[in-house]
Amino acid sequence: MKKDHQVTPLYTKLKQYAAAAPISFHVPGHKNGLIFPKRADRFFGSILPIDVTEITGMDDLHAPKEVIAEAESLAADYFGSMRSFFLIGGSTVGNLAMILAVCVTGDKIIVQRNCHKSIMNGLELANADPIFITPDYDEAVNRYTSPSPATLKQALEEHKDAKAVVLTYPDYFGRTYAIKEMIELAHTYQIPVLVDEAHGVHFSLGIHPFPHSALKFGADAVVHSAHKTLPAMTMTSYLHINSSFVAEEKVAHFLQILQSSSPSYPLMASLDIARSFLATLTSKSVSDVLTSVKQVRQVMASLNACVVLPISEKDDPLKITLSMKKGISSALVASLFEKNGVFPELVTHNQLLFIHGLAPFHRLSELKKAVTSINDELKIKTNHATIDMKELFSNKVHKLALTYPKMSQQTSVLTLLDNAKGKIAAEAVIPYPPGIPFILKGEEITETHIQMIKQLIKQGVTFQHCDINNGIKVYNKGEEDT
């Protein structure tokens, strides 16, 4: 029987609870919003009455049998999975759980090299033995995008004992690739494919011109960030299990370890609402969104400092990418946007990324004023050295220089970046966003790495979890560097 996706069982249950004005002798301490500083009530007041805990009738995220189970079942029905889990720890916790569910210490996992840091953290937690497949450089968009099926086939042939393949689809900029072919290839080796599809939850619309989801192509486990493009709160995601290759009970086990034992009901309710929103979005609404995207792109195209990259059949139309012209700093352009009250999603060494929402954009006149202001301020060009990223990945298939168990037995020292060539990184170097490691923990540092990091620093790119200006932590081989 076809399910009614207009309904939002968890959100509806919370509304009914709040309307009954119950007396709380349980956590949380704000007592349905009765105890809360007045100065913050304007923003928090309306949501606190539904910020409840696992009291009777509210079910339990880690053992759902009632209203949460119903909400997750609706998600599975819409997305077309065997089981869909609500995540309140972001796609990060989904990536961790699906990796831990398919491998144990020493198991080989074939991993797309330009993956999110949460994938790397999952590999480290599992003490896995990662086999990295490097992405190809796409001249059309001037950046690394995805590995080729040929690279994956090489890795599968060389490592037939691998336990899983982990792919990222689409990339942060919304560009897709031949993932169907790669899933089918891995399945011929009886190996499951785990997909970090954080930026593709709306692909499930199945409406042209949006690409198809990896779920449609037979991926065994897929993680979706609801909060990326759906009307859901930050930290909300879905994890879909789509075959018996990935044990549902193992995933559930690790999720209850990794996620809070007191999950946020407002976060879970927003997942319920987001599923209903996506499932009931009309073709007319989608058409209006695409018209709005075209209008925003036209405004962005009037920027003198950059070009708007065209959209192909490989691309998510919600992603608008500006590529800087020679001699123009992307960090400078981003700062000028922010000065004018416009905040991009991502700044790289040569590009800016803007994400259009799943509704028409209604502040076009303000955006036009911002672009005009930026053009005026950029009349004096600034010269910056260009960064050639094309030689970043020299080997299509490669491993870390040290295994995770060996890393745990090493001590580390801080060394100047100029002295780091040939040493093994004891920390990842991660420009953030997008959170994709530039240097992996356990990877040998090359001269190319060093020169590119210096250029990124000059461009004003921010690095997460390390103070790269003071040096980089490397594994100590018996003598400290100065």
Side-chain angles (χ1 to χ4, degrees):
M1 182 183 294
K2 188 175 181 181
K3 296 195 176 186
D4 180 7
H5 285 283
Q6 295 280 355
V7 301
T8 50
L10 181 54
Y11 173 60
T12 300
K13 185 74 172 180
L14 290 170
K15 284 200 304 179
Q16 292 169 348
Y17 168 84
I23 298 171
S24 170
F25 279 102
H26 54 76
V27 300
H30 58 67
K31 303 299 181 183
N32 299 326
L34 294 176
I35 305 172
F36 211 74
K38 292 298 181 185
R39 64 180 181 274
D41 188 65
R42 176 188 169 195
F43 290 104
F44 284 88
S46 62
I47 203 169
L48 292 176
I50 66 168
D51 181 33
V52 301
T53 189
E54 292 92 341
I55 56 177
T56 301
M58 289 301 172
D59 210 355
D60 180 351
L61 177 64
H62 301 303
K65 295 180 177 62
E66 300 170 324
V67 68
I68 294 176
E70 184 181 352
E72 288 187 333
S73 177
L74 281 163
D77 178 75
Y78 173 70
F79 289 105
S81 67
M82 292 170 52
R83 171 77 188 274
S84 290
F85 293 90
F86 281 5
L87 307 179
I88 47 84
S91 289
T92 289
V93 78
N95 287 336
L96 297 177
M98 68 180 181
I99 289 171
L100 290 167
V102 299
C103 66
V104 296
T105 298
D107 280 347
K108 290 181 180 178
I109 303 289
I110 297 172
V111 184
Q112 183 173 332
R113 171 60 180 81
N114 57 333
C115 63
H116 189 262
K117 64 175 184 173
S118 59
I119 297 291
M120 299 307 305
N121 291 338
L123 296 170
E124 184 172 354
L125 284 174
N127 275 326
D129 183 10
I131 309 298
F132 294 104
I133 53 175
T134 62
D136 291 340
Y137 194 86
D138 190 335
E139 297 282 357
V141 293
N142 197 24
R143 63 175 183 269
Y144 286 99
T145 54
S146 60
S148 68
T151 300
L152 175 59
K153 184 172 179 59
Q154 178 187 340
L156 289 166
E157 280 295 307
E158 293 176 2
H159 304 279
K160 294 180 180 178
D161 54 343
K163 298 297 182 182
V165 173
V166 182
L167 299 174
T168 302
Y169 173 95
D171 69 7
Y172 207 105
F173 293 83
R175 196 161 183 85
T176 63
Y177 54 94
I179 196 169
K180 182 176 185 288
E181 180 181 347
M182 296 172 80
I183 291 170
E184 291 173 349
L185 177 62
H187 285 172
T188 64
Y189 291 79
Q190 297 297 299
I191 294 175
V193 179
L194 317 180
V195 181
D196 177 1
E197 194 171 293
H199 282 266
V201 63
H202 55 291
F203 290 2
S204 300
L205 282 167
I207 299 175
H208 180 78
F210 293 106
H212 287 300
S213 169
L215 279 168
K216 182 177 177 63
F217 295 135
D220 302 279
V222 174
V223 173
H224 279 147
S225 280
H227 66 267
K228 293 287 195 293
T229 53
L230 301 188
M233 295 176 71
T234 299
M235 293 181 66
T236 57
S237 295
Y238 307 100
L239 169 54
H240 311 287
I241 305 303
N242 204 32
S243 82
S244 58
F245 268 142
V246 181
E248 180 184 316
E249 63 276 11
K250 284 188 177 181
V251 171
H253 170 70
F254 285 112
L255 285 176
Q256 63 87 22
I257 290 175
L258 295 166
Q259 298 201 102
S260 171
S261 59
S262 300
S264 164
Y265 276 79
L267 293 185
M268 290 188 286
S270 77
L271 282 167
D272 196 20
I273 293 165
R275 178 270 315 156
S276 179
F277 169 85
L278 194 61
T280 58
L281 202 63
T282 65
S283 297
K284 173 63 167 57
S285 296
V286 172
S287 177
D288 290 343
V289 168
L290 295 174
T291 297
S292 177
V293 168
K294 184 177 180 180
Q295 292 171 341
V296 172
R297 289 175 60 85
Q298 287 173 342
V299 173
M300 293 295 194
S302 64
L303 275 165
N304 298 327
C306 51
V307 295
V308 181
L309 293 186
I311 299 174
S312 74
E313 71 280 357
K314 297 180 181 180
D315 297 311
D316 176 3
L318 296 186
K319 300 294 182 74
I320 302 170
T321 303
L322 309 186
S323 188
M324 299 301 109
K325 293 179 180 178
K326 188 174 182 180
I328 301 297
S329 163
S330 55
L332 173 61
V333 176
S335 69
L336 292 175
F337 265 111
E338 292 177 359
K339 179 181 177 182
N340 285 274
V342 180
F343 289 80
E345 165 66 16
L346 173 67
V347 184
T348 71
H349 71 286
N350 66 337
Q351 295 181 341
L352 299 184
L353 172 65
F354 296 78
I355 302 179
H356 193 288
L358 275 172
F361 178 70
H362 293 299
R363 301 175 68 179
L364 210 59
S365 61
E366 294 175 63
L367 183 62
K368 289 178 180 178
K369 289 179 182 178
V371 168
T372 299
S373 174
I374 293 169
N375 280 336
D376 288 341
E377 295 195 54
L378 282 175
K379 285 179 179 177
I380 302 175
K381 289 187 176 181
T382 53
N383 293 315
H384 288 263
T386 57
I387 305 174
D388 186 2
M389 291 281 190
K390 298 178 185 178
E391 303 303 319
L392 181 58
F393 302 120
S394 56
N395 297 317
K396 289 294 184 183
V397 180
H398 63 99
K399 299 179 70 173
L400 295 175
L402 290 175
T403 64
Y404 289 119
K406 286 184 178 179
M407 283 186 237
S408 67
Q409 299 170 5
Q410 300 283 322
T411 59
S412 64
V413 294
L414 185 69
T415 188
L416 296 175
L417 193 58
D418 284 331
N419 297 338
K421 180 182 177 181
K423 301 186 185 299
I424 309 300
E427 61 181 343
V429 177
I430 306 172
Y432 201 88
I436 296 170
F438 187 78
I439 297 177
L440 299 173
K441 182 180 179 181
E443 188 172 36
E444 182 175 333
I445 301 167
T446 66
E447 182 63 28
T448 300
H449 285 141
I450 294 169
Q451 295 307 317
M452 288 184 180
I453 288 173
K454 287 181 177 180
Q455 289 296 329
L456 291 172
I457 292 171
K458 288 181 181 178
Q459 293 280 26
V461 173
T462 300
F463 293 88
Q464 192 175 50
H465 304 312
C466 69
D467 186 0
I468 199 69
N469 290 294
N470 288 330
I472 182 172
K473 289 181 182 177
V474 298
Y475 286 112
N476 190 1
K477 295 182 180 179
E479 55 182 283
E480 285 200 15
D481 297 295
T482 56

